[in-house]
Amino acid sequence: MSELARAARAVAGGRHIAVLTGAGVSAESGIPTFRGAGGLWRGFDSASLATPEAFAANPKLVWEFYNWRREIVARADPNPAHVALTKLAGRVPRLSLITQNVDRLHHRAGSRGVLELHGNLWEIRCTRCGETSDRTGDILPPLPSCGACGGLARPAVVWFGEALPDDVWSAAQESVRDADVLLVVGTSAVVYPAAALVTLGKRAGQTIIEVNLEPTPVSDAIDIGLYGKAGELLPQLVPSEQE
Ligand code: BV8
C-alpha cells in the first residue's frame, strides 16, 4: 500500500485528528515562508525582525515589515491545502486545527476554532494600555497608535522570546494528547514550543503523518511521510462523503 493510501486510511479511520500547520500550508497562496528563499525581506532575516528587541530598537522598520506582510496576505487567497483542512473537519468525528501561521488564511477558508499559537497579523495591541483592536484589511500608518490611549501599537503576534498565549497553548496540548492522528503540515519544525507537539503526539502513541516538500528534524518521529506540495497532497487525504 502506498504511503498516500496508508495516510488516507489513517485519516479516514481517525476519531480525533490534530493538525499542526506552518508557513508551508500558505506557500501556495503566495505567502513567503519564514525560512528558505522567501524568508528574506530587504535582506533582513524575517526571524531577526520578529523580536521585541527589534521593535524597541526600530519600531518603524518592524512595522514596515509587518505592513508589507499584511499587504501580501490581504491580496492572497486560501489555497487547496487550506480548503482541504476545512473540508476534512466536516468528514471526521473531530478535528483540531493548530497553526503557527499569523495570516488567518485558515479562517478565510472556513476553518473554525483555529488555535493560533503565534497570534495574527490583523490585530494590533497597544504597548501602553494593552488594548487589542482588529484592523483586518486596514492600511496602517507607519507607526500605528492605540485608539484608546494613543500609545504606540504593535502587531498582535508572538515574537521570539515571548510566551505563547497560555490558553491557546494549553488547548493545543490538550488536543494533541487526545488525538489518535497528528497531521504535521508545512512546518520546518524548528520553532519551539510548537514543534514539541510532535513529540507529545509520539508519546501519546498516535499515527503521525508529515506533509512537507522535504524531511524535517521531526521526520524520524513520524509514521508516514508525504513529500510534495500541501495543496496537492492534502485534498487526497479528505475522505469522500460516502466513506
Ligand atoms: C518562547 C510570529 C519562552 C511572528 C513566530 C534554542 C533551541 C530551541 C528553542 C529556542 C532556542 N533559542 C530560543 C528558543 C525559543 C524560540 C525558538 O524556537 N527559536 C528557534 C528559531 C530556535 N521560541 C520562542 O521564542 C517562542 N517563545 O520560547 O518563549 C518564554 C516562556 C515564558 C515566558 C517568556 C518566554 C516563541 C516562538 C514564536 C515566534 N513567532 N511567528 C511572525 O510571524 O512575524 S514563529 C515563525 O516561525 C512563524 O510563525 C512560523 O510559522 C514559525 C515556524 O516556521 P514554519 O511555519 O515552520 O515556517 P518555515 O518557513 O520555517 O518552514 C516552512 C516549511 O514549509 C518548510 O519545511 C518547507 O519545506 C515547507 N513548505 C514550503 N512550501 C510548501 C511546504 N510544505 C508543503 N507544501 C508546500 N507548498
Side-chain angles (χ1 to χ4, degrees):
M1 179 183 284
S2 74
E3 292 290 84
L4 186 57
R6 284 181 61 213
R9 189 169 163 182
V11 168
R15 170 186 51 82
H16 179 184
I17 317 271
V19 185
L20 172 65
T21 64
V25 85
S26 295
E28 291 156 80
S29 296
I31 311 287
T33 58
F34 239 72
R35 291 159 193 88
L40 286 182
W41 172 74
R42 290 198 197 161
F44 291 94
D45 161 28
S46 304
S48 67
L49 292 164
T51 69
E53 294 75 19
F55 186 72
N58 192 337
K60 210 157 168 299
L61 176 70
V62 173
W63 263 117
E64 272 185 69
F65 173 55
Y66 281 92
N67 279 330
W68 171 70
R69 291 172 65 191
R70 287 166 60 100
E71 277 163 43
I72 292 178
V73 172
R75 289 196 302 270
D77 292 313
N79 69 64
H82 297 106
V83 174
L85 291 174
T86 304
K87 268 200 196 128
L88 183 59
R91 305 273 170 88
V92 293
R94 186 178 169 199
L95 182 137
S96 301
L97 181 48
I98 304 158
T99 190
Q100 300 172 84
N101 298 342
V102 295
D103 57 34
R104 290 201 152 171
L105 287 177
H106 285 305
H107 302 64
R108 284 177 47 200
S111 290
R112 294 279 170 273
V114 181
L115 293 170
E116 292 179 310
L117 298 179
H118 299 155
N120 75 88
L121 275 177
W122 292 123
E123 290 175 329
I124 65 174
R125 188 170 67 243
C126 181
T127 56
R128 186 193 296 165
C129 73
E131 166 97 357
T132 297
S133 55
D134 187 341
R135 305 295 303 270
T136 300
D138 292 348
I139 305 275
L140 297 176
L143 280 177
S145 53
C146 168
C149 77
L152 174 63
R154 56 165 283 179
V157 297
V158 178
W159 279 327
F160 288 101
E162 294 185 323
L164 276 54
D166 270 345
D167 53 344
V168 176
W169 178 234
S170 312
Q173 294 174 92
E174 211 29 61
S175 303
V176 169
R177 277 198 197 94
D178 180 70
D180 49 355
V181 177
L182 174 61
L183 202 45
V184 185
V185 188
T187 182
S188 60
V190 295
V191 173
Y192 281 78
L197 291 173
V198 181
T199 325
L200 186 65
K202 190 77 194 159
R203 274 210 299 274
Q206 52 205 234
T207 303
I208 304 183
I209 302 164
E210 178 173 49
V211 176
N212 199 309
L213 294 180
E214 59 192 8
T216 69
V218 295
S219 297
D220 327 354
I222 63 158
D223 301 286
I224 306 170
L226 303 178
Y227 297 107
K229 292 185 172 183
E232 292 165 10
L233 290 167
L234 286 186
Q236 300 180 66
L237 298 184
V238 181
S240 57
E241 300 255 29
Q242 291 69 28
E243 271 182 275

